[in-house]
Amino acid sequence: MGIVEKAKEFETRKLKFKNTSDRILASREVKDLILGVNEVYKKKKDQKLMDLMKRLTVIKQKIEKRLKGRPLTAA
């Protein structure tokens, strides 16, 4: 399976991560997928690949936001 197919499969996968280690693994996986799609994009310059990278980046940001947790408010 090529990198683009893996990226599309990751995008359609349910993003239910039970614990922190699952989130960390997912974050690393999506980062690798984004970098791989970027290498293909550099050669082909296909706008669909850029759109795929943008969607994966949004997913990655959501995962990382959840990893960081909520900031504590000073009372």
Side-chain angles (χ1 to χ4, degrees), residues 11 20-21 23 34 37 54-55 70 75:
E11 185 180 23
T20 303
S21 64
R23 289 185 200 101
I34 291 169
V37 172
K54 288 178 182 178
R55 292 191 305 267
R70 297 182 183 158

Side-chain angles (χ1 to χ4, degrees), residues 5-53:
E5 289 83 17
K6 286 183 184 179
K8 288 181 180 179
E9 186 270 330
F10 184 89
E11 185 180 23
T12 58
R13 187 186 317 165
K14 283 190 173 186
L15 300 176
K16 301 279 182 181
F17 306 114
K18 300 292 182 190
N19 54 33
T20 303
S21 64
D22 289 346
R23 289 185 200 101
I24 291 170
L25 291 174
S27 178
R28 289 178 183 165
E29 181 182 358
V30 74
K31 179 182 176 184
D32 291 339
L33 290 172
I34 291 169
L35 293 174
V37 172
N38 189 33
E39 290 300 318
V40 176
Y41 176 77
K42 286 179 184 178
K43 294 174 185 156
K44 294 187 177 182
K45 302 290 185 191
D46 186 3
Q47 187 61 36
K48 291 179 183 179
L49 294 174
M50 178 59 77
D51 294 338
L52 177 62
M53 284 191 297

Side-chain angles (χ1 to χ4, degrees), residues 50-74:
M50 178 59 77
D51 294 338
L52 177 62
M53 284 191 297
K54 288 178 182 178
R55 292 191 305 267
L56 290 173
T57 302
V58 169
I59 292 171
K60 182 175 182 287
Q61 288 172 344
K62 288 179 182 178
I63 293 169
E64 289 180 348
K65 185 182 206 181
R66 182 73 176 99
L67 275 172
K68 290 181 183 177
R70 297 182 183 158
L72 298 174
T73 58

